[in-house]
Amino acid sequence: MTFRRDLVKILAVQPRSVSSIARELGLERRDVEDDLRHAIRSAAAAGHTVIVEPARCKQCGFVFGTDRLVKPGKCPQCKGTRLYEAQISIRT
Ligand SMILES: [Zn+2]
């Protein structure tokens, strides 16, 4: 799928969040997340290194799991809503 190949290209340039990719491509975040998961899987299968810098809470520093690609609603630890979104990049 062309779009997924484009995703790999985008992520090879610099780390990006789901929101910033969605904004750039004019898509819904959940649509981007879905394709992103496929792109990550095929990139890894092709021998590329996928780097996920996990989402993080700005208030208490809580780090979310790397499977959390879309920005979480709030922090499970301090209930804060000011969160850094996960940044994904691919080294080809
Ligand atoms: Zn927190």
Side-chain angles (χ1 to χ4, degrees), residues 57 60 75 78:
C57 176
C60 74
C75 172
C78 73

Side-chain angles (χ1 to χ4, degrees), residues 57-62 75-80 83:
C57 176
K58 285 184 195 181
Q59 274 163 246
C60 74
F62 177 83
C75 172
Q77 191 162 276
C78 73
K79 312 294 178 206
L83 307 165

Side-chain angles (χ1 to χ4, degrees), residues 13 15 20 27 29 32 34 38-39 52 59 71 77 80 89 91:
V13 178
S20 83
L27 297 164
R29 274 196 298 203
V32 171
D34 202 41
H38 286 282
V52 179
Q59 274 163 246
K71 192 173 175 176
Q77 191 162 276
S89 60
R91 230 172 262 159

